[in-house]
Amino acid sequence: MRYGDLFQELSSLSPNFYESNYEEIMIPFSEKQSRTADYGGKAFTMRWQPFMYACVLGIVNNKYIPFENRPNDKNKSGDVFTYQTIFSNGHEILVAVILSIISLNKDGYKILSDKSKLNQEISNYANGGFEIIRKMKDDGISFGFSDFMREISERK
């Protein structure tokens, strides 16, 4: 399978994430489809970026929390962005996440043949990353640009 085929097949899908993560993390930490981030302002310029950052945090910290429907926390899948948005603006990070998932998943590269399962894995690692971010917020990190850079520099 070529990257182009994988991208094309994933492009119409959207990752699963909770409305609470959107409202409490993705919106406060990102501008809405901006092209630049101000120093001292929000850490991300687009809504998909905090999602992918949460996914990377989940992978790096091996924090995997299965996404499940919650009666009081709506699934925002499809309401905010599709993978096409990521492919158009930052496909490198998605490729890195997919390669990481291949290395961590018991099915290895065979997960690429099931786009729904791949989407689920991406969502589950992001869900784990959102929990890490919630803990950081509880510890007083506001996730302005300087907090984001500090977190990266202090990462263990």
Side-chain angles (χ1 to χ4, degrees):
M1 173 179 290
R2 298 174 311 183
Y3 279 135
D5 295 338
L6 176 64
F7 287 175
Q8 185 175 17
E9 291 176 24
L10 271 177
S11 67
S12 64
L13 296 177
S14 295
N16 297 304
F17 53 92
Y18 298 112
E19 184 172 40
S20 61
N21 290 331
Y22 179 69
E23 298 290 333
E24 298 168 20
I25 297 171
M26 293 171 70
I27 289 175
F29 298 164
S30 65
E31 299 294 337
K32 186 174 182 177
Q33 307 312 77
S34 175
R35 289 287 177 200
T36 61
D38 296 326
Y39 182 76
K42 294 184 178 186
F44 302 104
T45 59
M46 296 182 168
R47 296 284 193 243
W48 62 269
Q49 292 169 324
F51 174 86
M52 291 307 296
Y53 179 66
C55 189
V56 168
L57 276 178
I59 289 169
V60 167
N61 291 284
N62 200 25
K63 183 89 169 171
Y64 180 97
I65 299 176
F67 182 89
E68 299 172 345
N69 287 326
R70 297 177 179 169
N72 298 324
D73 204 356
K74 179 181 160 190
N75 182 357
K76 292 292 285 184
S77 179
D79 293 347
V80 181
F81 62 88
T82 63
Y83 286 108
Q84 179 60 48
T85 304
I86 301 171
F87 295 143
S88 298
N89 295 288
H91 71 279
E92 298 89 352
I93 188 70
L94 189 56
V95 170
V97 162
I98 291 169
L99 290 172
S100 297
I101 288 173
I102 290 169
S103 72
L104 294 169
N105 188 277
K106 64 179 174 60
D107 294 329
Y109 71 91
K110 292 179 183 174
I111 194 170
L112 296 177
S113 64
D114 186 345
K115 303 312 171 277
S116 161
K117 187 171 181 182
L118 179 59
N119 184 32
Q120 181 181 5
E121 292 289 292
I122 292 169
S123 300
N124 292 342
Y125 279 107
N127 198 28
F130 280 126
E131 288 301 312
I132 292 168
I133 293 170
R134 284 185 184 285
K135 170 83 171 80
M136 291 174 174
K137 279 182 65 178
D138 291 346
D139 291 343
I141 296 176
S142 66
F143 268 83
F145 184 76
S146 55
D147 286 324
F148 174 69
M149 295 308 291
R150 186 178 322 111
E151 186 280 323
I152 290 174
S153 69
E154 293 173 356
R155 189 176 294 160
K156 295 174 185 161

